[in-house]
Amino acid sequence: MTPTPTAVALPEVAQARRGQDGPFGVYVHVPFCFTRCGYCDFNTYTPAELGGANPDAWVAALATELELAAARLGGRRADTVFVGGGTPSLLGGQRLARVLSHVREHFGLADGAEVTTEANPESTSPEFFEAIRAAGYTRVSLGMQSVSPFVLGTLDRIHSPGRPVAAAREVRAAGFEHLNIDLIYGTPGETDDDLLRSVDAALEAGADHVSAYSLIVEDGTALARRVRSGELPAPEPDVAAHRYELVDARLRGAGMDWYEVSNWSRPGAACRHNLGYWGGGQWWGAGPGAHSFDGALRWWNVKHPNTYAQLLDQRALPVAGFEQLSAADRHTEEVMLALRMRDGLALSVLDAGERERAATAVSDGLLDTDGQRLVLTDRGRLLADAVVRSLLG
């Protein structure tokens, strides 16, 4: 007999930022993918891994979690909603509409709320985008990754090279306010031309926001096994840095500017939901494996969709664990996150030793300062993680 799953009880803590100040977001994790990309280590499951997926049962469990979450938080309306995964577009337009309806019912949406869903090109259509736009979604984040057939094959992406551009045009035709396109650079065998053609395709398709991420070989993935066996070479850091500079130059030349190390946008098109994460905001993460943060406490849900659903059948929050952040923890995260932003970090946040190390980084050409704030230079962005470590000592 399968044992009944149990959840971890969240403490009722005196939260540092429990009130209505600052942005509040809802993240919804969709755990379903048609296939698993070779580089991905996200909490996702194919139909074969689940013995057949039941999206309607997942939506029902999600509705229960949102109900329990809203009762715990007491009246927080969502400034932003972000549906990620996984592949949210596999749910189809009507189920995604129901997801947003449940968020509205249990939390409510603030005036002018930003509502985003991720989508993979191969599981979308004009009718899909029209349905979610009518439901109230305002932004689509489309996974292009590359237009190079070789790069797509290496990454185990299943869409054709031209489908992301067609999907992007369908997003615009449906009347969405914002379109984000995701790119990956640094894939073994990729050329400069492969990357620049991908950036140009994103721009020509009407994106007003581009996210570009260096390929990371994550332990336990198919890509890691191929690199370990010698089938593929490991990504080269110097090549990745060069490719980052190519992306930055091309996007700046097209009128976009960076607002976070891996994100560029036209004026007014920055992703407000992600700004909430980076700015220390609060959010509830619903769905299998999703993480939440209330200003002082971070917690995460059980990963497997079946366990998640069983716990919610018992009307128990599906929490797998939590951590109480100390003042030192919050300081570390503020430095780490703020320094990745175009607005930078207030010098007043740093202690005396950190300010001395910041002065060294300014002398080394890694940081700029106006005497009030620290901002990464172009060279500093290439070494952002190292800059953060040096400041924190």
Side-chain angles (χ1 to χ4, degrees), residues 55-103:
D56 292 311
W58 171 83
V59 172
L62 175 75
T64 301
E65 184 184 0
L66 292 172
E67 177 191 351
L68 297 174
R72 176 180 171 87
L73 292 182
R76 293 302 303 268
R77 290 201 303 169
D79 299 287
T80 62
V81 179
F82 195 106
V83 183
T87 309
S89 46
L90 278 179
L91 294 177
Q94 295 308 312
R95 289 193 188 94
L96 278 177
R98 282 161 49 198
V99 167
L100 184 55
S101 175
H102 291 314
V103 175

Side-chain angles (χ1 to χ4, degrees), residues 100-116:
L100 184 55
S101 175
H102 291 314
V103 175
R104 278 200 188 94
E105 176 186 357
H106 297 299
F107 280 101
L109 298 180
D111 293 341
E114 176 193 85
V115 183
T116 307

Side-chain angles (χ1 to χ4, degrees), residues 297-343:
L297 190 73
R298 177 175 290 116
W299 64 94
W300 47 93
N301 284 348
V302 297
K303 287 188 171 184
H304 200 281
N306 293 344
T307 307
Y308 171 81
Q310 290 169 35
L311 287 168
L312 286 161
D313 280 345
Q314 304 167 28
R315 297 191 62 78
L317 283 173
V319 177
F322 65 87
E323 60 178 341
Q324 182 77 50
L325 271 63
S326 66
D329 293 332
R330 292 196 296 272
H331 174 74
T332 295
E333 292 196 358
E334 181 175 9
V335 172
M336 177 182 67
L337 295 171
L339 262 187
R340 292 183 62 87
M341 303 296 296
R342 182 60 183 262
D343 290 342

Side-chain angles (χ1 to χ4, degrees), residues 59-248:
V59 172
L62 175 75
T64 301
E65 184 184 0
L66 292 172
E67 177 191 351
L68 297 174
R72 176 180 171 87
L73 292 182
R76 293 302 303 268
R77 290 201 303 169
D79 299 287
T80 62
V81 179
F82 195 106
V83 183
T87 309
S89 46
L90 278 179
L91 294 177
Q94 295 308 312
R95 289 193 188 94
L96 278 177
R98 282 161 49 198
V99 167
L100 184 55
S101 175
H102 291 314
V103 175
R104 278 200 188 94
E105 176 186 357
H106 297 299
F107 280 101
L109 298 180
D111 293 341
E114 176 193 85
V115 183
T116 307
T117 186
E118 294 179 340
N120 278 355
E122 71 277 7
S123 55
T124 61
S125 65
E127 294 75 19
F128 168 81
F129 292 121
E130 289 163 6
I132 63 172
R133 182 69 191 97
Y137 286 80
T138 65
R139 186 182 194 106
V140 172
S141 182
L142 194 64
M144 174 184 284
Q145 316 314 348
S146 178
V147 297
S148 161
F150 171 81
V151 172
L152 292 174
T154 302
L155 296 175
D156 295 324
R157 300 287 292 183
I158 63 174
H159 62 73
S160 65
R163 176 57 197 156
V165 172
R169 291 175 177 151
E170 291 164 6
V171 170
R172 285 306 195 190
F176 279 87
E177 298 168 36
H178 298 296
L179 167 62
N180 178 59
I181 287 181
D182 287 350
L183 300 174
I184 290 177
Y185 60 90
T187 300
E190 176 193 61
T191 67
D192 288 356
D193 185 59
D194 288 332
L195 177 60
L196 290 175
R197 285 190 297 108
S198 300
V199 176
D200 289 343
L203 292 168
E204 291 164 8
D208 59 359
H209 185 295
V210 172
S211 301
Y213 302 105
S214 177
L215 179 65
I216 297 174
V217 180
E218 301 285 2
D219 289 342
T221 62
L223 179 64
R225 292 189 290 274
R226 295 175 71 188
V227 169
R228 190 167 55 249
S229 71
E231 179 186 346
L232 290 174
E236 299 179 27
D238 288 346
V239 171
H242 170 63
R243 298 271 160 73
Y244 180 90
E245 292 174 327
L246 291 178
V247 172
D248 186 52

